[in-house]
Amino acid sequence: MNKPDSKNSILVIGAGIAGIEASLNLAAYGIKVYLVDDTPSIGGIMARLDKTFPTNDCSICIEAPKMYEVQKNANIEVLTNCEVRRVDGAAGNFRVRLVQKGRFVDSAKCKGCGKCVEVCPVTVPDEMDAKIGGTRKLIYIPFPQSVPNSYAIDNRCRYGKSKNEGACVGGCIIDCIQCRECPIAKCVKACKEEGADAVMLWQKDNTIDIEVKSIIVASGLEVFEPPTGFYGYGHYKNVITHLQFERLMNAGGPTQGDIVRPSDKSHPRKIAWIQCVGREKSCGIPYCSKVCCMVAAKQNIITKEHDESVETFVFYNNMKAYGKGFHEFYRRAMELGAKYIKGKPSDVIENSRTGSLAVRYEDIETGEVNEIEVDLLVLSAGLVPNSRNKKLAKTLKVAMDETGFFKENGSFGGDPLETCVKGIYLCGGAIGPADISESVTQAIAASLKAVLIK
Amino acid sequence: MITDRFKETIRRCAQCGTCTAGCPTSEQGVFNIRRMVRTLQLDLHEDKEFLAKIPWLCTLCERCSVLCYEGLEIPKLVKALREHALKNGVKPEKAMMLLEAIRRAENPYTSKTRTKNTWHESVPGGVRMSPNADLLYWVGCTSAMMAPNIPKAAAGTLNNLGIEFKMLDNEPCCAEPLICFGLLDEAAKIASKILQKVRQAKVKRIVTSCSGCYYTFTRTYPEVLGVKFTDIEILHTSQLVGQGIKDGSGLAKAKKPLKVTYHDPCTLGRLSGIYDDPRKVIQAIEGVTLVEMPLIRELATCCGSGGGMWTYDYKTALEICAAKINREVVPLGVDAIVTSCPSCYLNFKRSLAKLKSSIKIYDLTELGGL
C-alpha cells in the first residue's frame, strides 16, 4: 500500500448507508478514504431491508449501486473484517492502527462461483435470519449483493471449533497458519479445481497503520432483541421482531420473500404488530426509536399488497408520523385495511395446537378488554446503539451519552455531528435512532466538516 | 392531597392500557385501572360514587406495576385512595364489616378469637409441639379458620422433617386487611403488639404457611409501618422445606403419579420474589410432575382473592379465578393445581367446585402427604 498524504486522507468507521454516503462524498472532494467495517461486507442494515419508507422503494436497489461505486472509486479503500485498534495524534494528523481479520478467501482471486459453498459440509444458523429459519454454510457470502463480492470463512471453522459438527478442518497437529496449502479442506480443493485458488485458511490478521486528518464515525444501530419470554418472544416460534418480518418480506431473505410463519411455514391469515417494544421499564429503552411506526405502516402496506385478504392489526399508543410524507403513508396503510388499535397489549398466550397467538389488550377508545387470535405476531422493537460502540468510544476517546450512543457536542443546535475530540465527527445511527434519509443527510454534512479540517 | 403525593405516577401515565389488559378485575368488565388513573389526571377523584366503588375493586396483585411502561406503582395509589375514601366518610359496607371483625375479634372472619386455635385438636395423634423450640409456626387467620387442612399438613410436614416448633396461644391477625384498606395507624398498633408477643415467645425464626402473613411481616411491617423484627428470621414454609431438601428426603412420595401446575401467589411471588423454592419442593416429591402455565413468576396472573376483593366482591373474585382456570389451567391437562397461599387455595377450591371441574387444588404443604 503506497502511503498517501495524511493531510488528504480521512477514515470512515462503519460502512452502512451513512458511511458509504460519507465516503462517496469525500472521494468527490478528492480525498483518500479508508472505509472500515468489522463485518465481511459493506452495506449495513439497509442492505438487508426489503423496502424503504415512505416511498416503498426497493432498499438494496438504491444501496447496491452506491456500494459498487464505492468499490470502483479509486479514492476509496474498502477494508472489511477490519477493526480500529488504536488512535493517537490530533485533528489534522491522527495516527490509526487498523487490524484486518482474516477472511480466509482472497477477494481479488475469488470469482464468486459458489463451488466452495456446495462442498462445505456444515450448515449453521445465519446471524440475522436464524429465528426465521435462515441458514448458511461455514463458507458463505453474507448476501447476494455483498461488496466485496467474495466468500468468507467462519472463524469457528478456521480455528477448528466446528470439527464436532462435521467440519473438514480441525484437529490438525499444526495450525493453518503454518500451511500454504490444505489437503483436507473441501473448499480449498473445490476452489483449486475451478482454477481460482482463492481459499487460504492460512491467512493472518493484517495490521495496517494509516495517517488521516479526520475521522467519521458511522457505526450505526442494532435492532433491540426483546428479552426471552417478553410477549412470548423466544418461547413462541411465531413471535418475531420487525427486522425478522422484513427479512421474511425480502426476496433476498431466507424465504425468498414468501411471508410464512416460522412454526409451520404456513401463510398467516392474521398478523399483528405491537409498537414501542423495548420502551418498557423492564427493557430499558428510554427514548422513541422514531422509525418503528413507519416500519409497521410499510410492512402493513406490503403485506396487503402481497395478499389483501390477510388481516393486519397494529397496536400502538403514540403514533409518530413526523416526517415528510409520513402521515400520508400511515393513512395509506389504513386505507388498505390495516386496523390500527390504540392500546398496548399485556399478554400473549400461544395456542399450543395451532401455534397461533392470543393477544390481550384494552381498546383505549372503548375501554373494553379484548383478545384476538393472530397467526403471526411482530414486535416493533426499538433501535439500540451498536454493541461495539463502547469499545470504539474508548479507542477514539470520544464521549458517549447515557443511552450508549455517541455524544454530540452541545446537541440541539450546538455543534451538531461534532464530538468532544476535534476532528472526529458523527453521522447516522452512531448519534441516535435515525432513518435512512436522515443518516444520508448527516453523512453529507459530516463529510464536509471532516474535509474542512486543515 | 393524593394528587400531590402521587404527582409523578399520575403525570407519567401514558394511558396505554397495558395495565387494564393485564388486570384480573378488568376482565370481568367492572374495573378499568387506566380510567382510574385518568380520573386522577383530570382531578375528578373526589366524586363520592367513584371513591365508594372503584378503589375497592383492585386485588393489589401488582401485575400492573410489572406490565407498566414506566413501572408505575398503581397499587400504592389504590391503597391511598381507599384511605382517602374512609377519611372522607365514604364507607363501603363490606369493607367496614371486615374492619369491625378485626377490631373486635382479632381476625377478619367475625368469629371469636378462641376458635382460631382449634384446628390442631382434631389432628389424629395430635401435633407435636416443643415449648422450647426457637421456631415459631405462624398459622394465619385464613388457614386456621377457613382452611384447617393447610396448618394440619404444614405441622405434619414439620413433624416429619424433625423440625421443632411452637405456636402462639392467641395468635392475632397480622393486620394485612387493614393495610390493604389504608388504615395504617390501626395496623401499626397491631404490628407493635405482635412484635411484643413474638419477643416474649423468645424465638429466632418464624415460619408461616400463609403468603399474605409472610409478605406483611417481611415487607409491609418494616417498609410501610416501620416495625422491624430485628434478629428474627421470617420464612415461608416453602423456603424452609425447599432449602432443606436433599433429594426429597423427609418428604413423602405421591401415592399415584400426579401431574400438577403451580400457581404463584401474588404475595409470595411477584411481591416477595419467591418463585424457585415452591417449585423445588414440588419437583422433589417423587411421582409428581410439574407443568407450567403460560404466565408464571412475575407475570403470573392473580387468582382474584387478594386485596380485600374476597370481602368486597366475592362473586367477582370467583369469576376471576374461573377465567384463569379456563384460560391457563385447563389446556394443560393437569390433575391438580398447587399453590402456597390459603386465600388462593380457597378461591381456587370454590371456583373449581362452581365449575364442576375434576381438577383438584392442593396447598404445597399437603402435597407430600398425598
Side-chain angles (χ1 to χ4, degrees):
Chain A
M1 192 190 307
N2 53 339
K3 290 238 162 155
D5 179 13
S6 74
K7 290 283 164 219
N8 207 26
S9 306
I10 290 174
L11 168 67
V12 178
I13 304 169
I17 186 61
I20 288 173
E21 193 66 38
S23 301
L24 289 172
N25 215 44
L26 292 170
Y29 288 125
I31 302 282
K32 161 83 186 178
V33 184
Y34 299 97
L35 177 59
V36 168
D37 199 282
D38 58 3
T39 67
S41 172
I42 65 169
I45 297 181
M46 186 181 171
R48 316 299 287 272
L49 302 179
D50 184 40
K51 296 286 195 296
T52 62
F53 64 78
T55 47
N56 281 348
D57 289 317
C58 159
S59 187
I60 192 68
C61 310
I62 298 172
E63 201 187 20
K66 288 180 191 280
M67 288 159 67
Y68 299 139
E69 221 180 297
V70 163
Q71 193 180 27
K72 294 200 305 230
N73 197 309
N75 281 347
I76 304 175
E77 187 166 335
V78 177
L79 297 161
T80 50
N81 269 357
C82 187
E83 282 174 15
V84 181
R85 199 49 71 79
R86 206 172 65 220
V87 176
D88 298 314
N93 187 18
F94 287 108
R95 293 178 301 282
V96 183
R97 169 157 289 183
L98 304 170
V99 175
Q100 190 169 29
K101 298 274 172 72
R103 183 188 191 91
F104 313 117
V105 175
D106 187 338
S107 302
K109 286 187 190 167
C110 174
K111 299 189 292 187
C113 69
K115 281 282 184 299
C116 51
V117 175
E118 278 175 33
V119 297
C120 180
V122 182
T123 302
V124 292
D126 181 88
E127 281 80 1
M128 184 170 258
D129 302 330
K131 280 219 166 66
I132 48 170
T135 56
R136 62 166 172 81
K137 292 289 187 66
L138 283 176
I139 186 162
Y140 67 104
I141 194 154
F143 53 95
Q145 301 83 357
S146 291
V147 169
N149 202 261
S150 92
Y151 293 84
I153 293 176
D154 197 307
N155 261 330
R156 285 173 288 183
C157 171
R158 160 62 181 80
Y159 292 103
K161 285 175 193 156
S162 295
K163 183 76 180 165
N164 290 343
E165 284 94 73
C168 31
V169 186
C172 294
I173 294 165
I174 53 166
D175 188 78
C176 298
I177 224 160
Q178 291 168 279
C179 289
R180 279 295 170 272
E181 53 183 320
C182 180
I184 308 167
K186 290 179 180 167
C187 52
V188 173
K189 188 163 170 258
C191 195
K192 269 187 186 157
E193 280 168 13
E194 286 300 310
D197 199 11
V199 183
M200 26 181 217
L201 283 159
W202 46 87
Q203 196 176 45
K204 280 188 264 186
D205 286 359
N206 190 15
T207 305
I208 305 162
D209 289 321
I210 57 170
E211 289 184 11
V212 294
K213 66 171 182 174
S214 48
I215 299 171
I216 295 175
V217 180
S219 58
L221 298 152
E222 284 171 14
V223 172
F224 174 68
E225 182 74 6
T228 303
F230 197 74
Y231 285 128
Y233 184 76
H235 286 166
Y236 306 147
K237 278 187 176 166
N238 296 328
V239 181
I240 60 177
T241 66
H242 63 85
L243 184 62
Q244 288 154 2
F245 188 82
E246 188 83 19
R247 297 293 297 155
L248 280 181
M249 300 198 312
N250 192 335
T255 59
Q256 285 80 46
D258 200 9
I259 300 173
V260 292
R261 305 205 299 179
S263 71
D264 55 5
K265 309 287 171 227
S266 69
H267 291 268
R269 305 302 306 156
K270 275 186 177 183
I271 311 176
W273 279 256
I274 300 179
Q275 299 303 110
C276 297
V277 170
R279 278 283 279 113
E280 299 76 8
K281 206 182 175 194
S282 57
C283 293
I285 302 180
Y287 48 81
C288 167
S289 296
K290 298 207 289 195
V291 303
C292 327
C293 284
M294 287 304 110
V295 170
K298 172 187 74 182
Q299 296 182 340
N300 271 267
I301 292 170
I302 306 287
T303 305
K304 288 282 185 185
E305 282 174 358
H306 270 241
D307 182 353
E308 61 177 349
S309 70
V310 173
E311 276 188 90
T312 65
F313 305 87
V314 182
F315 293 102
Y316 74 105
N317 188 45
N318 220 335
M319 176 53 62
K320 298 281 169 75
Y322 60 93
K324 188 175 176 180
F326 285 12
H327 197 77
E328 294 83 334
F329 197 60
Y330 156 54
R331 290 277 295 274
R332 171 98 185 111
M334 287 201 284
E335 279 161 19
L336 286 172
K339 292 186 188 72
Y340 276 76
I341 300 167
K342 194 165 165 63
K344 190 149 184 336
S346 61
D347 302 298
V348 174
I349 297 181
E350 186 190 50
N351 179 329
S352 54
R353 196 172 45 80
T354 60
S356 296
L357 306 144
V359 181
R360 194 168 189 74
Y361 65 98
E362 184 204 352
D363 187 334
I364 305 291
E365 276 157 24
T366 62
E368 278 170 26
V369 176
N370 293 320
E371 201 168 274
I372 55 163
E373 194 165 282
V374 295
D375 302 322
L376 184 65
L377 180 64
V378 184
L379 304 183
S380 291
L383 302 177
V384 292
N386 190 316
S387 51
R388 284 96 83 198
N389 273 5
K390 211 170 170 182
K391 201 175 153 197
L392 187 58
K394 215 174 151 192
T395 312
L396 296 171
K397 300 172 194 80
V398 297
M400 289 166 83
D401 65 20
E402 63 285 353
T403 55
F405 290 103
F406 290 102
K407 196 173 177 178
E408 280 178 296
N409 250 0
S411 45
F412 303 111
D415 302 307
L417 315 181
E418 293 182 18
T419 65
C420 57
V421 178
K422 195 181 170 221
I424 301 183
Y425 303 97
L426 305 167
C427 61
I431 305 167
D435 62 27
I436 293 166
S437 61
E438 240 181 317
S439 302
V440 168
T441 313
Q442 289 176 357
I444 293 167
S447 60
L448 186 54
K449 288 200 180 216
V451 168
L452 291 175
I453 285 287
K454 288 277 179 278
Chain B
M1 283 284 282
I2 279 190
T3 39
D4 287 336
R5 242 174 90 199
F6 291 91
K7 202 170 160 187
E8 271 298 285
T9 305
I10 296 166
R11 190 181 63 77
R12 277 163 58 200
C13 171
Q15 293 284 304
C16 72
T18 313
C19 49
T20 315
C23 168
T25 322
S26 69
E27 195 175 327
Q28 305 309 320
V30 284
F31 178 59
N32 185 315
I33 198 145
R34 177 186 60 81
R35 282 190 172 161
M36 188 197 84
V37 180
R38 188 73 181 142
T39 307
L40 284 140
Q41 285 180 336
L42 299 172
D43 209 8
L44 296 172
H45 60 282
E46 295 300 347
D47 179 56
K48 298 272 186 223
E49 228 172 280
F50 168 83
L51 284 177
K53 188 175 179 200
I54 301 303
W56 308 90
L57 288 167
C58 169
T59 65
L60 301 178
C61 73
E62 299 206 5
R63 194 161 191 266
C64 51
S65 305
V66 174
L67 293 170
C68 178
Y69 254 58
E70 300 277 359
L72 301 179
E73 294 178 298
I74 309 293
K76 280 190 181 161
L77 183 60
V78 170
K79 285 184 203 171
L81 275 172
R82 289 179 179 182
E83 187 183 5
H84 184 72
L86 294 177
K87 280 189 181 153
N88 284 277
V90 178
K91 297 191 189 308
E93 189 194 342
K94 284 179 179 166
M96 296 323 288
M97 272 165 59
L98 186 106
L99 301 184
E100 272 314 303
I102 295 177
R103 281 173 189 156
R104 203 174 59 234
E106 296 195 328
N107 77 66
Y109 297 104
T110 55
S111 309
K112 291 172 187 168
T113 319
R114 182 178 51 79
T115 55
K116 241 182 111 171
N117 296 318
T118 54
W119 59 270
H120 56 87
E121 286 161 15
S122 65
V123 176
V127 171
R128 217 162 54 241
M129 280 186 278
S130 319
N132 296 323
D134 66 355
L135 176 74
L136 176 76
Y137 173 46
W138 180 278
V139 187
C141 309
T142 310
S143 309
M145 302 171 71
M146 310 296 280
N149 51 318
I150 297 175
K152 277 179 198 170
T157 307
L158 294 177
N159 279 168
N160 287 344
L161 291 170
I163 300 169
E164 293 190 340
F165 67 94
K166 61 182 163 191
M167 290 187 278
L168 287 184
D169 286 337
N170 280 309
E171 188 188 284
C173 172
C174 71
E176 195 241 0
L178 297 180
I179 299 159
C180 286
F181 290 163
L183 296 167
L184 302 183
D185 296 340
E186 240 172 291
K189 274 181 215 156
I190 295 178
S192 314
K193 215 165 87 184
I194 289 177
L195 182 64
Q196 209 180 351
K197 275 197 161 199
V198 170
R199 288 238 167 93
Q200 278 166 2
K202 292 194 170 50
V203 291
K204 288 197 182 117
R205 295 186 296 169
I206 302 175
V207 66
T208 178
S209 50
C210 176
S211 297
C213 296
Y214 174 81
Y215 172 68
T216 307
F217 289 158
T218 52
R219 300 285 304 278
T220 321
Y221 274 19
E223 288 169 23
V224 180
L225 306 178
V227 175
K228 289 187 181 102
F229 286 95
T230 31
D231 300 330
I232 297 172
E233 192 186 5
I234 296 154
L235 293 163
H236 185 260
T237 36
S238 65
Q239 287 179 297
L240 187 74
V241 179
Q243 288 163 8
I245 285 178
K246 286 181 194 78
D247 312 320
S249 56
L251 294 173
K253 288 176 191 169
K255 285 182 188 125
K256 55 174 187 185
L258 202 64
K259 198 167 135 190
V260 304
T261 189
Y262 177 68
H263 165 77
D264 282 293
C266 305
T267 39
L268 191 69
R270 194 162 30 243
L271 273 60
S272 302
I274 299 172
Y275 304 113
D276 295 323
D277 287 322
R279 289 179 167 80
K280 215 173 132 189
V281 174
I282 294 172
Q283 280 158 342
I285 298 170
E286 217 181 301
V288 176
T289 323
L290 177 67
V291 188
E292 294 282 12
M293 283 185 255
L295 300 168
I296 54 165
R297 299 173 77 91
E298 70 274 15
L299 286 176
T301 51
C302 175
C303 74
S305 71
M309 178 65 97
W310 230 31
T311 314
Y312 188 81
D313 192 343
Y314 180 64
K315 202 170 140 258
T316 301
L318 288 185
E319 276 166 8
I320 292 170
C321 197
K324 167 156 184 154
I325 293 165
N326 283 331
R327 177 155 16 100
E328 298 180 41
V329 183
V330 172
L332 300 178
V334 292
D335 305 313
I337 305 163
V338 178
T339 188
S340 42
C341 167
S343 303
C344 301
Y345 171 85
L346 285 168
N347 206 29
F348 271 109
K349 194 170 179 178
R350 292 175 191 185
S351 301
L352 286 166
K354 212 175 158 197
L355 287 171
K356 297 190 172 61
S357 171
S358 61
I359 301 171
K360 301 270 186 300
I361 171 77
Y362 297 117
D363 186 82
L364 191 69
T365 52
E366 291 182 288
L367 205 56
L370 292 173

